[in-house]
């Protein structure tokens, strides 16, 4: 899910992912698919605690369960167990730190020769080998947002389908298509909370609607926020609070009325996770930098995520370490 300094919002059974940023040229080359899509390909989505998982073949082996995480700004993440099982070669290293700057880890970058999802094969996919925080047996890896840069990526939560297609989203003045920016490979959109305008990450690998304390302190709630869960970084632990908002939350033309939100002291941006996204069919066009939302209702109600939350203040990659470190 992360941009630098991002806190990963995960369910107790959710992944925390790692950001790896390569050069723009290397990303474009690595993400070139070996299979052309004539119209569209689709695959079923398995929703676990509202988060979308798909079956993936890696190097013609599998299937393996991977999380589709638009909040991960890299091609992929794999568990150490899967990397060992498939004997994935190490092609570089990433240095990981948390936003406090007090902790640091070094992780390997491994190469997956072929990753196949929904009948589309991606070649030479680089993945950070890292522990999948809190995932247990839920999945063996994560597919990040930038893997799908050459396609329209649709996550149809109500019908539990993933669709990859060629084409583009047409501008409609913000009615259903919202512009986004992605400075670190993660889509960030405009969000309105009452009269406050903020930026929010669209994070299918997250859980609920999460606010940083710096935003929450300016808002009114229906009741005093209370302790809801725990967060952990490489160096620190902290408490998550939760409450229902008094003002409405506006995402494009859709309104969340008195939404249940989590509040944390480490997350720098508002995070729109899989529980609010589960109300929508969401399509991403990375070429046009547009996101299209579709739902049967204009006014939506948001309750707590369907499992107790654990907030992971996710490691980030240092700006000074943006290139792969050659092996040997």
């Amino acid at each position: 899910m992360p941009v630098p300094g991002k806190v990963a919002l995960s369910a107790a059974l959710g992944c925390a992912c790692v950001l790896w940023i390569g050069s723009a040229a290397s990303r474009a080359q690595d993400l070139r698919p070996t299979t052309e899509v004539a119209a569209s390909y689709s695959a079923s989505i398995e929703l676990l605690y509202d988060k979308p998982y798909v079956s993936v073949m890696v190097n013609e082996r599998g299937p393996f369960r991977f999380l589709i995480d638009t909040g991960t700004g890299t091609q992929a993440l794999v568990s150490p167990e899967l990397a060992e099982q498939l004997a994935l070669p190490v092609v570089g290293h990433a240095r990981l730190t948390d936003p406090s700057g007090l902790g640091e880890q070094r992780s390997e970058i491994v190469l997956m020769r072929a990753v196949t999802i929904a009948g589309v094969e991606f070649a030479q996919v680089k993945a950070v080998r890292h522990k999948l925080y809190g995932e247990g047996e839920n999945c063996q890896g994560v597919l990040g947002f930038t893997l799908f840069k050459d396609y329209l990526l649709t996550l149809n939560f109500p019908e539990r389908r993933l669709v990859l297609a060629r084409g583009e989203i047409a501008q409609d003045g913000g009615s259903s298509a919202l512009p986004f920016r992605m400075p670190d490979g993660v889509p960030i959109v405009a969000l309105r909370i009452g009269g406050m305008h903020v930026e929010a990450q669209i994070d299918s690998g997250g859980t609920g609607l999460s606010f940083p304390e710096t935003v929450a302190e300016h808002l009114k709630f229906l009741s005093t926020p209370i302790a809801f869960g725990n967060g952990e970084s490489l160096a620190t632990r902290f408490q998550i609070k939760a409450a229902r908002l008094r003002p409405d939350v506006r995402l494009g033309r859709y309104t969340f009325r008195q939404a249940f939100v989590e509040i944390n002291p480490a997350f720098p941006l508002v995070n729109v996770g899989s529980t609010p996204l589960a109300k929508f069919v969401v399509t991403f066009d990375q070429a046009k930098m547009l996101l299209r939302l579709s739902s049967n209702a204009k006014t939506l109600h948001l309750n707590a995520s369907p499992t107790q939350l654990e907030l992971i203040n996710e490691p980030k990659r240092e700006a000074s370490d943006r290139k792969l470190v050659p092996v040997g």
Side-chain angles (χ1 to χ4, degrees):
M1 322 164 140
V3 298
K6 179 179 184 295
V7 176
L9 182 59
S10 303
L13 296 178
C15 283
C17 313
V18 177
L19 174 67
W20 167 69
I21 306 174
S23 68
S26 67
R27 285 203 302 268
Q29 180 180 5
D30 294 337
L31 296 177
R32 188 176 300 119
T34 59
T35 301
E36 287 296 324
V37 179
S40 66
Y41 280 17
S42 71
S44 62
I45 287 175
E46 183 179 5
L47 294 180
L48 298 178
Y49 303 99
D50 285 341
K51 299 200 297 184
Y53 298 81
V54 293
S55 293
V56 173
M57 301 294 291
V58 179
N59 296 351
E60 293 83 42
R61 295 175 64 180
F64 304 103
R65 183 190 283 160
F66 274 58
L67 171 67
I68 302 294
D69 186 4
T70 60
T72 288
T74 184
Q75 298 176 33
L77 180 82
V78 297
S79 69
E81 294 79 11
L82 182 61
E84 182 176 350
Q85 177 183 344
L86 299 180
L88 299 177
V90 177
V91 295
H93 292 87
R95 188 171 72 253
L96 308 174
T97 65
D98 68 28
S100 71
L102 300 177
E104 181 172 304
Q105 292 181 2
R106 180 177 171 86
S107 291
E108 295 175 337
I109 297 172
V110 297
L111 182 68
M112 296 184 285
R113 175 174 46 80
V115 173
T116 305
I117 173 176
V120 178
E121 183 178 285
F122 296 88
Q124 305 300 306
V125 176
K126 293 182 175 68
V128 175
R129 170 177 168 155
H130 200 273
K131 175 184 176 182
L132 306 181
Y133 287 104
E135 267 299 319
E137 299 299 320
N138 273 3
C139 72
Q140 292 78 49
V142 172
L143 298 180
F145 189 54
T146 56
L147 183 69
F148 305 103
K149 66 179 293 293
D150 294 323
Y151 296 95
L152 292 181
L153 167 66
T154 296
L155 298 176
N156 186 333
F157 284 89
E159 296 186 6
R160 302 192 177 196
R161 301 296 298 178
L162 173 145
V163 179
L164 297 175
R166 299 294 190 185
E168 62 182 35
I169 294 176
Q171 293 269 10
D172 64 0
S175 177
S176 63
L178 306 178
F180 67 83
R181 63 186 189 91
M182 45 182 295
D184 294 288
V186 174
I188 297 174
V189 301
L191 190 76
R192 196 171 81 224
I193 310 166
M196 179 188 298
H197 295 265
V198 299
E199 289 192 317
Q201 295 177 140
I202 303 299
D203 182 7
S204 63
T207 49
L209 181 60
S210 175
F211 291 175
E213 284 185 346
T214 53
V215 170
E217 65 187 11
H218 300 290
L219 300 174
K220 293 184 178 180
F221 295 87
L222 294 181
S223 61
T224 302
I226 61 172
F228 183 68
N230 295 311
E232 182 178 2
S233 73
L234 294 178
T236 61
R237 294 183 61 85
F238 48 89
Q239 186 180 79
I240 307 160
K241 295 182 178 181
R244 284 197 177 275
L245 270 179
R246 187 175 298 277
D248 292 342
V249 176
R250 291 274 299 181
L251 178 60
R253 60 182 176 178
Y254 298 99
T255 300
F256 289 97
R257 185 68 44 81
Q258 296 182 348
F260 183 92
V261 300
E262 295 103 33
I263 304 163
N264 70 86
F267 196 28
L269 292 177
V270 172
N271 203 70
V272 181
S274 57
T275 296
L277 292 178
K279 314 286 185 182
F280 299 100
V281 178
V282 190
T283 300
F284 300 90
D285 183 344
Q286 293 188 45
K288 293 285 189 178
M289 304 283 276
L290 290 173
L291 176 156
R292 184 173 61 216
L293 295 169
S294 177
S295 179
N296 290 331
K298 296 290 182 64
T299 300
L300 305 165
H301 299 278
L302 182 62
N303 295 318
S305 299
T307 185
Q308 183 179 0
L309 295 182
E310 180 180 20
L311 194 66
I312 305 297
N313 186 354
E314 182 171 327
K316 73 179 181 69
R317 199 162 166 277
E318 296 244 332
S320 60
D321 191 30
R322 291 197 172 186
K323 295 183 178 180
L324 292 178
V325 179
V327 177

